Amino acid sequence: MNYTEILSPKFEPETTGTTIMAVIYDGGLIIGADSRTSSGQFVADRCADKIDYVHDRIFCLRSGSAADTQTIAKYVRYYVDAHAQELGRLPAVATAANLFRNFLYEYKDSLSAAIIVAGWDPYKGPQIFTLPLGGSVIEQKWSIGGSGSTFIWGFCDANYKENMTLQEARAFVLHAVAHAMYRDGSSGGIIRLLNVTKDKIEREFIDYKDVPVK
Amino acid sequence: MSGSMYDLSVATYSQEGRIYQVEYATKAVENSETVIGVKCKDGVILAGEKQKFSRLLEDNTNKRIYNIDNQTGMALCGKLPDGRNILQRAKAEASQYQDMYAIPASANVLSDRVSQYVHAYTMYSGVRPFGSATFIASYNTFDGYELYMIEPSGNKYAYHACAHGKGRAICKSEFERRNFKDLTCQDALVYVAKMLILSHEEFKEKKFEYEITWINDNNGRKHQTVPQDFINNAVQQAEQLIEQDQIGE
């Protein structure tokens, strides 16, 4: 037996076996994600950033193939930037979501990517668009995604309230993601939060020792 | 040859730096029936006169003003077939933009793209510039009401009020006399009708039709034809105004 034989089944493409989440609260929206990138059984990155910048107030949460989602995000970033330049003001979240959809639909056979687009725009305020495999777009008040999300549907259904305060929403996202990370083998590491409002964006890093469910 | 042949193609400047074919295209617009665009307090109006060269023509055909999308209208001044070609391009641009970015194209963006198209026809020897000026009127939540005019040269300007065609001088003096920004669309209709009638004065004996559309706060900010009874009313009042003016003189 040689090393190649031992290792080869383990070198699978990196996937963000993931827990991602976004929730609208009163005055903004909050985004949460775990940080594990897996390659089969192997943790390729234990501190990944799955919250990608699209524009000043628009972000996307990546789940599925890391290569696919990073590349699509790169293209959409480019398109949104060119569009915003022409527009002369902040672009609509729906615009970013639609650009993602165009890629996801056109290349559905070759892509493994499920994305949540979340952000604030001056037209409709905070918005969340869920884009599952295949190229559909669903606008929601809250959205969860990735392999870890299957474990927290009940938690989210039971605990989501409309018009939460920032503190309530933050606690909700933090606990939901922590629970998912606890039960899902492909989610884990630390938690990243991002708060998006009209005036600012605020990142927060939750160290492993501070993750509430362990 | 007197023009020393610099006027044969758009691909060559004259020695004074002019492109004669573009100027001739502008002449074609200047000889057209009058088209007017005005921004008011609560909306924007597009208006045009249509001469009826035969009694055999059906009413309300051969339109000059069209929808590009729900909240955008385009009026054509000059050669109608040329204008319709520009219109087709504008419609395609608007729908492509909506498909790509999931929001309607603003008049600014749309007129940018249309003017680039028009301008392309001033650069190649094998083409003739458009003998048509196009007016774009639109509403969006961010910019409010907008009015643009694109000339055969590809020049594009945003206006408070503009006019082109035979009656443009008459309209411009009316624009200077009255601040349309203080009037509602409803009130402005009379003066728009007045401008069209006065523009037509020189060609009295020919029959003509009014074509007026608007986008305003009261019609859901959609580009729509002004109801016929509103037009009839406005025309009646406008005729009275003109009579009073003549007595005053």
Side-chain angles (χ1 to χ4, degrees):
Chain A
M1 189 181 279
N2 61 37
Y3 284 116
T4 327
E5 270 175 46
I6 302 166
L7 289 174
S8 59
K10 297 190 175 164
F11 278 126
E12 290 171 24
E14 274 101 1
T15 54
T16 52
T18 295
T19 307
I20 49 177
M21 182 169 182
V23 177
I24 292 176
Y25 65 86
D26 192 16
L29 66 95
I30 190 151
I31 293 167
D34 76 312
S35 70
R36 179 166 295 174
T37 300
S38 325
S39 176
Q41 293 288 304
F42 180 68
V43 176
D45 186 350
R46 65 197 182 106
C47 203
D49 188 358
K50 299 172 187 176
I51 307 174
D52 257 20
Y53 170 93
V54 176
H55 201 264
D56 290 7
R57 292 286 180 278
I58 304 174
F59 293 83
C60 74
L61 291 149
R62 303 181 291 107
S63 76
S65 154
D68 289 357
T69 52
Q70 281 174 5
T71 306
I72 300 168
K74 190 182 79 178
Y75 279 119
V76 171
R77 200 152 44 232
Y78 167 76
Y79 276 107
V80 170
D81 192 37
H83 165 68
Q85 211 70 37
E86 185 180 52
L87 203 63
R89 53 178 179 258
L90 287 177
V93 185
T95 298
N98 196 59
L99 289 166
F100 273 109
R101 180 241 294 273
N102 289 349
F103 283 110
L104 294 184
Y105 182 75
E106 190 80 10
Y107 304 107
K108 62 162 98 189
D109 294 338
S110 37
L111 286 176
S112 164
I115 288 165
I116 297 172
V117 181
W120 181 92
D121 70 36
Y123 322 97
K124 291 181 180 165
Q127 290 152 83
I128 296 167
F129 294 91
T130 312
L131 291 87
L133 295 171
S136 58
V137 183
I138 307 150
E139 189 178 358
Q140 286 169 313
K141 289 270 170 54
W142 61 273
S143 174
I144 54 178
S147 55
S149 66
T150 47
F151 303 96
I152 52 170
W153 279 103
F155 177 89
C156 292
D157 284 330
N159 291 293
Y160 170 77
K161 292 192 305 262
E162 281 199 10
N163 303 320
M164 284 187 278
T165 63
L166 170 60
Q167 287 73 26
E168 287 172 327
R170 181 186 170 281
F172 172 51
V173 172
L174 188 62
H175 281 83
V177 175
H179 276 295
M181 285 159 63
Y182 184 69
R183 287 290 172 187
D184 180 25
S186 331
S187 299
I190 54 101
I191 299 178
R192 293 181 192 278
L193 297 178
L194 176 66
N195 175 28
V196 183
T197 64
K198 177 175 181 292
D199 303 313
K200 61 171 190 282
I201 53 169
E202 235 173 357
R203 267 186 181 273
E204 193 181 348
F205 174 92
I206 313 291
D207 199 307
Y208 179 72
K209 67 180 192 299
D210 301 320
V211 172
V213 187
K214 274 193 292 229
Chain B
M1 199 176 266
S2 63
S4 53
M5 312 223 300
Y6 279 113
D7 66 348
L8 293 180
S9 149
V10 287
T12 313
Y13 284 110
S14 80
Q15 276 154 324
E16 301 87 52
R18 296 160 68 179
I19 302 167
Y20 284 106
Q21 279 299 321
V22 172
E23 294 182 21
Y24 299 160
T26 309
K27 280 273 186 321
V29 180
E30 286 170 357
N31 292 332
S32 155
E33 291 122 300
T34 313
V35 173
I36 304 168
V38 273
K39 277 209 290 195
C40 304
K41 192 163 70 180
D42 65 342
V44 52
I45 301 176
L46 289 176
E49 54 158 346
K50 266 183 332 198
Q51 286 183 17
K52 300 198 75 178
F53 56 84
S54 162
R55 275 154 42 98
L56 298 174
L57 282 175
E58 288 263 27
D59 288 342
N60 300 315
T61 53
N62 280 312
K63 269 149 55 92
R64 268 197 182 283
I65 311 178
Y66 293 84
N67 282 329
I68 291 177
D69 55 31
N70 260 338
Q71 61 290 315
T72 311
M74 181 180 256
L76 314 173
C77 186
K79 302 243 170 290
L80 266 182
D82 285 26
R84 275 194 220 104
N85 184 284
I86 301 172
L87 172 83
Q88 199 179 21
R89 178 61 174 231
K91 281 183 171 177
E93 290 285 356
S95 90
Q96 275 166 28
Y97 189 96
Q98 171 81 45
D99 282 355
M100 183 92 173
Y101 299 113
I103 53 169
S106 68
N108 182 26
V109 168
L110 191 64
S111 58
D112 255 0
R113 301 199 175 174
V114 174
S115 64
Q116 278 175 35
Y117 177 67
V118 172
H119 172 246
Y121 282 76
T122 68
M123 293 198 292
Y124 304 100
S125 59
V127 298
R128 163 173 73 76
F130 288 104
S132 181
T134 48
F135 295 59
I136 295 178
S138 185
Y139 174 84
N140 75 58
T141 28
F142 233 91
D143 307 304
Y145 295 100
E146 291 187 289
L147 175 64
Y148 287 87
M149 184 170 72
I150 300 161
E151 296 164 10
S153 59
N155 263 332
K156 156 206 133 165
Y157 298 103
Y159 288 92
H160 294 296
C162 57
H164 217 319
K166 275 176 188 153
R168 65 192 179 286
I170 293 162
C171 296
K172 275 171 197 163
S173 66
E174 187 73 18
F175 292 150
E176 272 161 34
R177 278 214 276 168
R178 193 162 279 103
N179 192 357
F180 282 86
K181 271 289 170 67
D182 298 336
L183 296 172
T184 62
C185 284
Q186 188 86 49
D187 296 338
L189 274 185
V190 186
Y191 303 109
V192 169
K194 186 183 165 195
M195 283 187 276
L196 289 180
I197 296 169
L198 288 176
S199 305
H200 196 74
E201 203 94 298
E202 297 170 46
F203 326 96
K204 258 183 189 144
E205 56 296 346
K206 284 184 187 153
K207 274 202 169 298
F208 77 110
E209 257 175 20
Y210 302 92
E211 193 174 342
I212 308 178
T213 65
W214 61 15
I215 315 165
N216 66 43
D217 294 348
N218 299 323
N219 77 345
R221 287 156 176 164
K222 292 202 159 64
H223 180 247
Q224 284 170 338
T225 306
V226 176
Q228 195 57 48
D229 51 325
F230 285 16
I231 297 180
N232 294 343
N233 237 329
V235 170
Q236 234 172 25
Q237 284 178 293
E239 275 163 356
Q240 283 167 9
L241 278 180
I242 293 168
E243 233 169 82
Q244 283 165 15
D245 283 358
Q246 280 164 348
I247 294 163
E249 280 163 20

